[in-house]
Amino acid sequence: MNSYGSSFTLRCLHCDVEYLPEQVSYYCPDCELDGALDLVYDYAQLGDRFLQGVRSSAHFDMWRYASVLPASSEFAPQLRTGGSPLYKFTGKGPVPLFLKDDSRNPSGSLKDRASALAIALAARMGVQTIAAASTGNAAAALACMSAGSSIRCVIFAPSSAAREKLAQIRAFGATVVEVAGGYDEAFAACHAACKEHGWYNRSTGINSYMSEGKKTVAFEICEQMDWCVPDTVFVPVGNGCIVGAVFKGFHELKRMGITDRMPKIIGVQASGSDYLYRAWRAGQWTPASAPTSLASSISVALPRDRMKALRAVTATDGEFIVVSDDEIFEAVLLLARRTGVFAEPGAAAAYAGYLKRASRCNGSAVILITGSGLKDVATLVKSGILDKQKLTGYCEAQG
Ligand SMILES: [Zn+2]
């Protein structure tokens, strides 16, 4: 075991070279930003320790899985993170349907799991400032998790970012640096500032540790299903970090001998932000194009965690599917009216994907709800869907 509280190495997904944690910071030094790293633990030795940790944990939260995390709860923020409900619905659908409602985290999104880990890592290293480039859930999560701590939070946001999106970030007291241009410029400014000042960089796609926090959602799903693996999991996909982390969580349970198979992972993209869908269909990377989807949390040009996302789908014999913005907004309402769970458009995309593909599902299906509808009410209002007298139900009509 090292000073992180667990023993692991970091393997580059691009060149396969393995590093010790002390040798690298965020990504492979040879492959740079193409070299996302996978944390690899000694799985053969970990199964018993993992289950012991679960049994002895006083709380149902992400830290009960600390034996396969690069930080211990000793440095974690006090806010209860993870431990979200898994609801089972046995309506008229073809398979038992489960909703993993991760909108119930402190700032309202699954990204709190990554930000809680980022704060724990930063606290362990004794850094005083943590930064991220984002205007959405990752920034709100980091601002939330650093609130009340001694760690300063700096968010780099494109100057075009909507004021209401910055409100939650500012409310938690984070410093917002507005950068002329779009997300790429904000990302570059954050990267440069972190290098210059020695700040800790939590930006998705640069910090390979962030998958580790997010993978705990897969551990929880299995634990809530009595350590059974669902047959299919639907995950909304923007930058690709969440879907990659969901794969890693299920894969680690299998490697530890706790489960014996993998679910099919279905990555759901908006048709106006479909880079991974196109790459998966073409069998090669294709040019990125400007995103047009209004589902902001999954609307990106070039997914930063595209390698991990593609692996998640191909290694599980899953698929990428696309849904239109009309289907996404309708799915927000259908989900809310049928289950009482109010998801933001980017999260409801997973439900829209399920509705399109439900007739091809066998066994159990889990839909991952990654963010609260309260985060993006303005877009829902602007979409006009709330003024419709009757929903078309076309998602289901398409089978
Ligand atoms: Zn490499």
Side-chain angles (χ1 to χ4, degrees), residues 204 220 304:
T204 297
E220 282 178 19
R304 301 270 164 186

Side-chain angles (χ1 to χ4, degrees), residues 117-363:
L117 181 66
I119 293 293
L121 286 163
R124 192 193 67 81
M125 291 185 284
V127 305
Q128 293 172 341
T129 301
I130 189 165
S134 167
T135 56
N137 292 340
L142 190 63
C144 172
M145 288 295 157
S146 50
S149 78
S150 58
I151 298 175
R152 186 169 73 113
C153 175
V154 181
I155 300 301
F156 289 80
S159 52
S160 56
R163 300 297 98 180
E164 62 264 29
K165 290 234 136 207
L166 297 177
Q168 190 185 13
I169 300 163
R170 291 191 199 276
F172 286 124
T175 301
V176 176
V177 178
E178 295 199 24
V179 181
Y183 178 78
D184 286 341
E185 286 75 17
F187 184 87
C190 181
H191 187 36
C194 287
K195 265 182 147 172
E196 186 182 343
H197 303 297
W199 297 346
Y200 192 65
N201 191 347
R202 180 251 181 264
S203 296
T204 297
I206 199 169
N207 190 324
S208 299
Y209 285 84
M210 295 301 95
S211 308
E212 298 302 293
K214 294 176 188 176
K215 75 184 181 186
T216 59
V217 76
F219 297 160
E220 282 178 19
I221 290 169
C222 278
E223 185 177 352
Q224 288 167 309
M225 296 177 82
D226 291 327
W227 301 110
C228 287
V229 178
D231 293 282
T232 313
V233 183
F234 289 81
V235 185
V237 177
N239 263 319
C241 186
I242 291 176
V243 73
V246 166
F247 166 81
K248 191 164 193 279
F250 283 114
H251 194 229
E252 288 186 337
L253 289 176
K254 187 162 174 272
R255 291 190 71 184
M256 288 188 286
I258 292 166
T259 59
D260 60 0
R261 64 192 183 92
M262 293 289 290
K264 261 184 205 300
I265 294 181
I266 311 297
V268 185
Q269 291 214 281
S271 51
S273 172
D274 64 349
Y275 181 89
L276 279 159
Y277 170 76
R278 284 186 286 114
W280 173 74
R281 295 261 299 189
Q284 60 183 11
W285 301 123
T286 54
S289 51
T292 56
S293 174
L294 296 176
S296 58
S297 61
I298 56 168
S299 192
V300 300
L302 183 64
R304 301 270 164 186
D305 265 327
R306 53 194 176 277
M307 287 182 71
K308 289 182 179 177
L310 195 63
R311 177 182 64 176
V313 165
T314 53
T316 62
D317 196 25
E319 59 184 287
F320 280 104
I321 56 178
V322 287
V323 289
S324 69
D325 276 9
D326 285 347
E327 288 169 325
I328 288 172
F329 289 121
E330 185 152 321
V332 172
L333 268 55
L334 287 171
L335 184 67
R337 291 170 190 187
R338 290 173 180 174
T339 70
V341 173
F342 184 31
E344 66 173 344
Y351 187 58
Y354 165 78
L355 293 174
K356 276 186 109 159
R357 198 189 173 279
S359 63
R360 289 193 284 132
C361 282
N362 294 308

